[in-house]
Amino acid sequence: MSKKSNKKVEPKYIESKLHNPMLNYSVYYMSPMEKILVPVLAFLAGGFVSNIFFGGLFKTSDGYKTTATTISDLIFFIVVGLIVVKYAIPIYKANRKEKRDTLLKLQFRDMLQSLAASFSSGSNVHAAFESAYVDLTLQYSPTDYIVIELKEIIDGVNQNIAVEDMLRDFAVRSGNDDVNSFVDVFTICYHKGGDMNAVIGRTTSVISGKMEIIDEINTKLTSNKLQHTVMSLMPILIVGILKVTNKSFADSFASPLGVIVNVIAIGIFIGSYVYGNKICQIKV
């Protein structure tokens, strides 16, 4: 008997200290529109590529399509399309989650900067968070992540829930090392009576420094990433042009040997693409 997978499925929302459903940032759930568009576009893209590499099998010697040609084209279209859908959706979700994490980190940095300004003016913890909320509502919309999170923190404090507990709840859901580190330092400083202004200022400086380094790295890698994407798509474009303009080339592809060669070549392309992505991904 095969063992069932014990992998835990992360929920989209986690109940907060106020028993409100709050976003779980460790997982990305597609919207209803994305659930339709992403699989459809991935399926069509996979089918189009399959037609370039595996289309036209079983043609007559005069180059006319047969019933077997139509059936094989359809089978390859469906099979390759489904394979692309299977792997494209996780890649899409990972990319969307990464962009959301980056956006949350930027918004969190803005929150820290606002808190630092409030503490430097002599505000207490509660007043500093309320002032930061007012500042962020002027900078962001009510649906932005940090505005929602900060409102939840303030509501929790107003209902006699410790501010560090509300911050910890946010940190756990965020899955962000910077947020977790800030909460650890904040909790110790808050209970030990440390210099909150210095702590917030130092934390903001460290996070801003990391973001500047990441931005500089991404800027330098932008051209390389573009070249990597172009080089990954180039084989598809070249094969498509040659099949349209060169009949003998198209005929050599439309054969059992051509299918075998194409499968090997596609495997090499995919391996090169994955390896290139790993090279371009630098974590700070």
Side-chain angles (χ1 to χ4, degrees), residues 112-131:
L112 291 183
Q113 290 175 343
S114 182
L115 285 175
S118 297
F119 282 121
S120 64
S121 64
S123 300
N124 59 31
V125 171
H126 190 192
F129 276 93
E130 288 185 333
S131 177

Side-chain angles (χ1 to χ4, degrees), residues 209-242:
K210 286 179 63 176
M211 288 184 178
E212 289 175 2
I213 294 174
I214 292 173
D215 289 341
E216 186 176 349
I217 292 173
N218 288 335
T219 299
K220 292 182 177 180
L221 287 177
T222 298
S223 60
N224 293 332
K225 289 180 178 179
L226 180 60
Q227 292 175 11
H228 173 244
T229 301
V230 171
M231 293 301 294
S232 299
L233 296 176
M234 193 60 68
I236 300 175
L237 179 62
I238 292 174
V239 172
I241 293 175
L242 288 176

Side-chain angles (χ1 to χ4, degrees), residues 144-217:
D144 278 311
Y145 305 121
I146 199 62
V147 175
I148 295 173
E149 296 295 343
L150 197 50
K151 184 179 186 304
E152 186 75 6
I153 292 171
I154 294 173
D155 289 345
V157 174
N158 290 335
Q159 296 187 35
N160 297 320
I161 298 177
V163 63
E164 62 269 24
D165 291 339
M166 297 300 300
L167 285 170
R168 178 65 62 189
D169 181 75
F170 167 49
V172 171
R173 287 185 291 100
S174 72
N176 187 288
D177 293 337
D178 292 331
V179 179
N180 278 282
S181 298
F182 165 74
V183 174
D184 290 337
V185 175
F186 176 89
T187 301
I188 295 173
C189 184
Y190 185 59
H191 284 288
K192 299 295 183 180
D195 187 350
M196 194 65 70
N197 182 33
V199 170
I200 300 295
R202 177 59 180 166
T203 305
T204 304
S205 176
V206 171
I207 293 177
S208 298
K210 286 179 63 176
M211 288 184 178
E212 289 175 2
I213 294 174
I214 292 173
D215 289 341
E216 186 176 349
I217 292 173

Side-chain angles (χ1 to χ4, degrees), residues 5-23:
S5 175
N6 295 323
K7 187 177 180 180
K8 183 180 177 181
V9 178
E10 291 280 354
K12 182 177 182 179
Y13 297 102
I14 297 177
E15 191 176 85
S16 70
K17 297 290 183 181
L18 296 178
H19 306 292
N20 294 324
M22 300 297 292
L23 188 62

Side-chain angles (χ1 to χ4, degrees), residues 2 11 23 29 72 79 83-84 93 102 105 150 179 207 213 217 221 246 254 257-258 266 277-278:
S2 60
L23 188 62
Y29 278 81
S72 67
V79 171
I83 292 174
V84 172
K93 292 169 71 173
T102 301
K105 187 179 292 186
L150 197 50
V179 179
I207 293 177
I213 294 174
I217 292 173
L221 287 177
N246 192 320
L257 180 59
I266 290 174
N277 272 344
K278 289 184 178 180

